[in-house]
Amino acid sequence: MSITEKIKELHDTLPEDVTLVAVSKTKPIADLQEAYDAGQRVFGENKIQEMTEKWEVLPKDISWHMIGHVQRNKVKYMAEFVDLIHGVDNFKLLKEINKQAKKYDRTIKCLLQIKIAEEDSKFGMSAEDATTLLASAEFTQLENISIVGLMGMATFTDDAMQVQKEFKHLKTTFNNLQPTHTSLEIISMGMSGDYELAIAEGSTMVRIGSSIFGARNYTN
Ligand SMILES: *Cc1c(COP(=O)(O)O)cnc(C)c1O
């Protein structure tokens, strides 16, 4: 299937309340342009420099999502345009995003990344840490960021029961926090291999790369 066909298929089949983030990391501008021409407006990248280079040349009505792990010293390069940062997992990073957003007189939307996988390699904070952060006085002083939801990445495994359990954990964490933090609206979970399961477990935002753009080649 072409990129165009795949985008159209996803737009036709995803539930209306689920946002599609087209994960275009490592892919050339022409591929993003094709997805754009098929109607896609939300793109996810995991490297700040690569995202910035693409932002500079592509249409300005694209919503850019940073889905990767963010280094604090690089926030300044995306503060002018990034729409949503998925991978916030500590207060120091949040403080830096706030500081850089202020320079552009913007409010940057963020998701707290919750560690739901059992793998050690995945980033994220515990549900308890997220609760503490959201309740802290320091947090309420940050006026140029808005926490609009939670993000999680499941273990990379064929064990669907395991993945389902991890998605349920994110949904439960969201349900526990939402009543006292009503700005939380988004649950970002699900990728090419597990987005249907994620949606069944309450995802409102899926991050799909390889099934749109094909496998990534990290060697070029
Ligand atoms: C690369 C990436 C994706 C997309 O993965 P696919 O399996 O290609 O759909 C989703 N989320 C994050 C955080 C990623 O880094």
Side-chain angles (χ1 to χ4, degrees):
M1 233 189 260
S2 69
I3 293 170
T4 302
E5 287 166 335
K6 197 64 209 182
I7 290 287
K8 294 211 157 127
E9 184 191 79
L10 284 165
H11 286 180
D12 286 346
T13 55
L14 290 175
E16 233 160 69
D17 56 348
V18 174
T19 302
L20 170 63
V21 181
V23 176
S24 48
K25 60 192 186 192
T26 79
K27 296 297 175 181
I29 299 289
D31 286 7
L32 283 78
Q33 186 69 54
E34 183 178 342
Y36 180 90
D37 292 339
Q40 183 61 25
R41 291 294 179 273
V42 184
F43 289 86
E45 291 281 336
N46 72 339
K47 295 217 161 60
I48 293 172
Q49 187 180 340
E50 184 179 342
M51 182 171 76
T52 303
E53 286 167 9
K54 288 171 172 172
W55 165 69
E56 281 169 352
V57 298
L58 281 160
K60 289 295 173 281
D61 61 341
I62 289 175
S63 163
W64 290 100
H65 289 199
M66 173 44 56
I67 62 167
H69 188 66
V70 177
Q71 285 170 278
R72 242 183 303 146
N73 60 350
K74 292 193 178 156
V75 172
K76 54 178 177 282
Y77 301 116
M78 63 174 169
E80 184 181 352
F81 69 92
V82 68
D83 194 32
L84 180 64
I85 302 176
H86 287 234
V88 176
D89 66 357
N90 65 80
F91 184 72
K92 272 181 154 179
L93 175 59
L94 205 53
K95 230 170 120 173
E96 175 65 14
I97 295 168
N98 184 70
K99 179 177 151 194
Q100 298 300 334
K102 204 180 172 106
K103 290 187 184 166
Y104 294 96
D105 199 22
R106 299 187 64 214
T107 300
I108 295 180
K109 292 179 283 179
C110 299
L111 304 179
L112 294 180
Q113 182 169 357
I114 308 296
K115 188 177 182 325
I116 56 172
E118 281 175 0
E119 294 163 82
D120 283 338
S121 60
K122 299 270 185 347
F123 293 101
M125 59 206 306
S126 67
E128 291 70 30
D129 289 345
T131 308
T132 305
L133 188 153
L134 289 169
S136 72
E138 266 189 305
F139 165 70
T140 52
Q141 283 164 10
L142 304 182
E143 291 181 338
N144 293 78
I145 52 104
S146 176
I147 304 287
V148 294
L150 305 179
M151 179 269 209
M153 283 178 87
T155 303
F156 187 72
T157 172
D158 289 335
D159 183 352
M161 296 282 280
Q162 176 70 27
V163 173
Q164 183 181 39
K165 189 179 96 186
E166 294 173 3
F167 286 154
K168 277 189 195 299
H169 175 52
L170 189 61
K171 172 69 171 159
T172 302
T173 305
F174 179 89
N175 286 350
N176 289 340
L177 288 170
Q178 209 282 333
T180 41
H181 304 282
T182 51
S183 66
L184 300 181
E185 296 175 339
I186 296 170
I187 303 176
S188 167
M189 62 184 186
M191 323 200 328
S192 291
D194 57 21
Y195 73 88
E196 281 161 328
L197 182 53
I199 290 169
E201 294 304 332
S203 171
T204 69
M205 185 173 275
V206 290
R207 310 175 308 267
I208 301 182
S210 45
S211 79
I212 298 172
F213 296 106
R216 285 175 293 274
N217 182 355
Y218 282 105
T219 61
N220 61 17

